Structures are given as C-alpha cells and as structure tokens.
Amino acid sequence: MLGIGKAKVYELINGGYLPAMNLGGMKVRKETIDEFLTKYEGYDLTDINNIVMIKL
C-alpha cells in the first residue's frame, strides 16, 4: 500500500512513526496508514533519524 519495502516499514514501526500490532506478524490498519500519510505528507523520511520537509 505504501510502495516501500518490508525493511522500511519495520524501521518506521520500530522508530515509533507507524503504530502497529502483533497478531502473529506485524499488522498496520488502513486507517493508521492514512493518518501516517496525512501527517508526514511533504516530508523526507529516507532517514528516519533526520526527518525534514521536502524543499522544492
């Protein structure tokens, strides 16, 4: 749904940016993804230790 690799999703979850639940495997609700996308729209999350606004 996000178009990113599994490793990046786990990085976002472990960094506290993307809430998830463990149901025998990590699960993220669609609503949570929508909220995440709204909150971080316009930001560069390539390095989650240095999130910055995208400068055009």
Side-chain angles (χ1 to χ4, degrees), residues 5 35 46 52:
E35 291 169 8
T46 305
V52 295

Side-chain angles (χ1 to χ4, degrees), residues 41-52:
E41 185 173 11
Y43 287 85
D44 180 353
L45 283 89
T46 305
D47 177 2
I48 65 165
N49 295 312
N50 186 31
I51 296 175
V52 295

Side-chain angles (χ1 to χ4, degrees), residues 6-20 26 48-49:
K6 186 186 283 189
K8 188 64 167 184
V9 172
Y10 278 98
E11 186 179 357
L12 292 168
I13 291 169
N14 291 329
Y17 296 99
L18 187 61
M26 298 305 282
I48 65 165
N49 295 312

Side-chain angles (χ1 to χ4, degrees), residues 13-36:
I13 291 169
N14 291 329
Y17 296 99
L18 187 61
M21 61 186 107
N22 190 342
L23 298 171
M26 298 305 282
K27 306 294 182 200
V28 180
R29 296 177 330 151
K30 181 189 177 311
E31 294 84 2
T32 301
I33 293 172
D34 291 339
E35 291 169 8
F36 171 82

